[in-house]
Amino acid sequence: MTTGNCGCAGGQNTCGGNKGKDNFVLSDAERHDIEHAMEHYEDPRAASIDALKTVQASRGWVSDGAIDAIAAVLGIPASDVDGVATFYNRIYRKPVGRHVISVCDSIGCFLTGYEDVKSELQKQLGIEYGRTTADGRFTLLPICCLGNCDKGPALMIDDDTHGPVAPADVAKLLEQYK
Amino acid sequence: MSHHVLYSGKTGETHPLTFRIRDDRQPVWLAEYEAQDGYAALRKALKEMDPAAVQATVKDSNLRGRGGAGFPTGVKWSLIPMGPDAGKKYLVCNADEMEPGTFKDRLLMENLPHQLVEAMILSAYAIQAYRGYIFLRGEYVVAAERLNKAIAEAKAAGYIGKNVLGTGWDFELYVHTGAGRYICGEETALINSLEGRRANPRAKPPFPQIAGAWGKPTIVNNVESLSNVPHIILRGAEWFKGLSQGKSPDGGTKLYGISGRTRRTGVWELPIGTSAREIFEEHGGGMQDGLSLKCWLPGGASTDFLLPEHLDLAMDFDTIMKAGSRMGTGLIMAVDNRQNMVSVVRNLEEFFARESCGWCTPCRDGLPWTVKVLRAIEKGEGKPGDIEFLQKMTRDLWIGKTFCAHAPGAMEPLQSAIKFFRDEFQQGIPSQIPATAVN
Ligand SMILES: Cc1cc2nc3c(=O)[nH]c(=O)nc-3n(C[C@H](O)[C@H](O)[C@H](O)COP(=O)(O)O)c2cc1C
Ligand code: SF4
Ligand code: FES
C-alpha cells in the first residue's frame, strides 16, 4: 500500500492517495496507539498484536485494508501481519456483531453444565457457533477456560465475565447488551 | 467441620500471598500496600543485597515453579549469564493462565497488582534484567487495568524507571496482553507471541535463559512463583521452608483450589503438601447433595486422573508424580459420579485438538483423530480395537514424539481414564458388529 505523500490529512480522504483495500485508513488515534505500543519493544514487529487489537477495538474486526495499513506502520510484510491475525482466535478477520458472546466449553464448565446454557443461547439467538444474528447484535463463539471455573458455567460478553450462568438467566443477561 | 474464613484474619507470617487481600475484594493500591510492608522487600534487597545474594536466597528457599512443572526457581535463575558482559536480559511473567481448571493467578493480579509488580522488579534485579513483561491473557481485562495502574504508581514512586531507588540500575515494566490461544502459555511459544509472531514453540536447547526474547537471555516465571519472591527476601529462606509445616520438602504455601460440583469452590492459600482430602472435604465441603466423587484432576486438564482412594496424598510435585499424575497448577477438578468418563475425556480432547498450534504432525493430526474416535465411542458406535488405538495414541503423542509438551499433556487424562474406567469405554463399543454394518 502507498502511504500518502500527497499532503492531504490522513483521516480526511480528500485525495484517496493513502487509502488501502476496502478504503481503509488508520485514524490518528489508532496510529498513535500503535506507535505508542511499538515503543515498548525491541522491534516494531512485537506491536503487531497490540496493533490488531487497537484496530479491532475501534472497528469491531480487522479487514484486509487494516492488515496492509498495520504492516506499513510496523514496516513488516502484510503476510506476516495476516499470519498473526489468523493465528489468534480473539482477532476477528470477518465482521462480528455489536456484542461478542464467548461461551467457555472447557472441562470445568462442562462438569457444571455449560451445554444447557449454550443450547439456550442458540435457541434465543437463533444462531449456531460462529454466526451473527440477522440484526447484527450478537456473535456467538466458543472459548476455552476463562479462569472463572469456580463460578461456572462461565461466559464473556464483550469484556465482561459472567458466571455462574443458568439457562434461566440467559434472557435477562442478553437484555443488558443492546 | 471447621469452616475457614477465606481471607480475613491472615498474616504475612502464615499467608504471605493472600493476607493483604481485602474482604471487600477491592484492589490494594500503593499507599495501602506500602502500609502492609509493601515494597519493603525491594528496598531491603536494593540496599543490602547484591543480585547474587537475592538469587542465593531464592535458591535456598526451595521455591519450585507454580506454573505447572515445578522447576526450582533459584536453579532456573542461576542459569542466566551474569556480569558486565551479559548484555540485555529480560524477565517475563507468564500470566497466560489458560489451563482449564485454573483460576489462581487471576486472584493475585486482580486483588494485589502491586505484589506482582514488586515481585517483578525484585526478580529483575536478581537477574539484572533491563526490561520486564507481564504476558497477560487478553481476557483478563480487569487484571490488565489494575496492573497498568499499579505500574504507573510504582513508576511515580521511583520503584521503576531510571536509577531505581538510587542504585544506578534502570528497569522498565510493561503489560503485554494476548489475543487468545492456550499454547501461548508454553514458555517458548510465549516468547514468539511476545515478539509479535505466531505462537509456535521453539526448539530447546537453546533454553530461554541463554537465548529467549529477541535472542537475549530471558527468564520466564509464573505469576504465583514470582509473587513469592518478595516474601522470601523479607523473611528469609528458612521461614519459607517452614511454611510447608513438614508436609512437604518443598518450601512455601500454595494456592490450592477446587471446582466442579462441590459444595464450595474457590482458591485457598495453604501449606504446600496439604492433603487433597483437606482441600476437597474441608475447604470444598465435599460433593453437592446426592453426588459422590468419581475421580479428580489434581491440577488442570493436562494432568492424569486420580481416584478417591488417592485423596490422602500430599499435594506436592513429587508425591503426586509418584502416584502417576502431576500436581500441575494445584487446582483440583472434582468429577462427580453422574459423569460418563468417555464424555469427560471427549470434552478434554476437543480442547487440546482445538488448541494445538499445528506445528508438528502427531499433535495436529493425532488429536482430532482421537476426538473422532472418542465421539464414536460416546455415541455407542465404537469399533473393536478403538481402545487399543487410543492407547497407541497415548504412546505416539508422548514426550519426545512431539515438538512440545502440549500433546503429551493431552494424553495424560486419556491414558488415566482408560486405566481406571476401561469398562466405560468398552460400553461404547458394541461387541458384535451387526452384519448389515459390514460391507
Ligand atoms: C501447553 C502449555 C501451556 C502452558 N501454560 C502455562 C500458563 O498458562 N501459565 C504458566 O505459568 N505456565 C504455563 N505453562 C508452563 C510454562 O511453559 C513454563 O513452564 C512456566 O511458565 C515456567 O514458570 P515457573 O517455573 O514459574 O512455573 C504451559 C506449558 C505448556 C506446555
Ligand atoms: S505438540 Fe502440538 S502444540 Fe506443541 S508444537 Fe506440536 S502441534 Fe504445536
Ligand atoms: S473451565 Fe470454564 S471457566 Fe474454567
Side-chain angles (χ1 to χ4, degrees), chain B residues 65-67 76 94 96-98 182 185-187 221-222 225 405:
Chain B
R66 307 299 199 228
K76 187 186 278 189
N94 191 339
D96 196 52
E97 190 161 74
M98 230 182 275
Y182 169 71
E186 196 282 336
E187 61 184 10
N221 273 129
N222 170 262
S225 317

Side-chain angles (χ1 to χ4, degrees), chain A residues 40-43 45-46 48 53 83-84 87-90 105 107 110-112 143-147 149-150, chain B residues 88 90 103 106 130-131 133 137 176-181 193-199 261 265 347 354:
Chain A
H40 294 182
Y41 310 101
E42 205 69 14
D43 167 14
R45 175 189 297 275
S48 55
K53 289 173 80 169
V84 167
F87 185 89
Y88 298 96
N89 61 302
R90 302 286 282 169
D105 62 359
I107 184 66
F110 175 83
L111 294 174
T112 50
I143 197 164
C144 51
C145 180
L146 290 169
C149 333
D150 53 337
Chain B
K88 285 179 180 172
Y90 295 97
F103 42 98
R106 174 183 211 136
Y130 97 115
R131 270 186 186 178
Y133 294 96
R137 67 177 294 186
H176 172 100
T177 62
R181 299 305 297 268
S193 189
L194 179 68
E195 290 184 9
R197 302 171 196 279
R198 293 164 74 93
R261 292 192 187 266
T265 53
N347 172 274
R354 189 173 74 200

Side-chain angles (χ1 to χ4, degrees), chain A residues 124-154:
Chain A
Q124 293 199 19
L125 299 173
I127 52 173
E128 295 293 314
Y129 274 149
R131 301 281 169 188
T132 300
T133 52
D135 60 2
R137 188 167 153 209
F138 289 112
T139 297
L140 188 65
L141 295 171
I143 197 164
C144 51
C145 180
L146 290 169
N148 204 48
C149 333
D150 53 337
K151 299 181 212 67

Side-chain angles (χ1 to χ4, degrees), chain A residues 36-50 52-53 76 79-91 102-116 129 141-153 156 158-162, chain B residues 88 90 97-103 106 130-131 133 137-141 174-184 189 192-200 214 216 258-261 265-267 297 301 333-336 339 343-344 346-348 350-351 354-355 357 378:
Chain A
H36 177 71
M38 283 159 65
E39 290 165 15
H40 294 182
Y41 310 101
E42 205 69 14
D43 167 14
R45 175 189 297 275
S48 55
I49 295 167
D50 300 272
L52 291 162
K53 289 173 80 169
I76 61 174
S79 56
D80 286 9
V81 178
D82 204 17
V84 167
T86 51
F87 185 89
Y88 298 96
N89 61 302
R90 302 286 282 169
I91 301 297
S102 308
V103 183
C104 170
D105 62 359
S106 291
I107 184 66
C109 295
F110 175 83
L111 294 174
T112 50
Y114 92 86
E115 282 171 321
D116 294 341
Y129 274 149
L141 295 171
I143 197 164
C144 51
C145 180
L146 290 169
N148 204 48
C149 333
D150 53 337
K151 299 181 212 67
M156 273 188 103
D158 303 336
D159 282 349
D160 311 327
T161 303
H162 299 277
Chain B
K88 285 179 180 172
Y90 295 97
E97 190 161 74
M98 230 182 275
E99 178 74 26
T102 308
F103 42 98
R106 174 183 211 136
Y130 97 115
R131 270 186 186 178
Y133 294 96
R137 67 177 294 186
E139 293 85 351
Y140 281 6
V141 191
Y174 301 106
V175 175
H176 172 100
T177 62
R181 299 305 297 268
Y182 169 71
I183 194 62
C184 291
N192 269 334
S193 189
L194 179 68
E195 290 184 9
R197 302 171 196 279
R198 293 164 74 93
N200 298 118
W214 297 286
K216 303 285 192 286
I258 198 156
S259 61
R261 292 192 187 266
T265 53
V267 189
L297 293 166
M333 181 75 69
V335 179
D336 60 83
Q339 304 286 344
S343 303
V344 167
R346 185 262 304 154
N347 172 274
L348 285 163
E350 282 175 346
F351 161 81
R354 189 173 74 200
E355 294 305 323
C357 85
E378 189 181 16

Side-chain angles (χ1 to χ4, degrees), chain B residues 291-303:
Chain B
L291 297 176
S292 60
L293 181 70
K294 181 170 186 168
C295 59
W296 50 289
L297 293 166
S302 60
T303 61

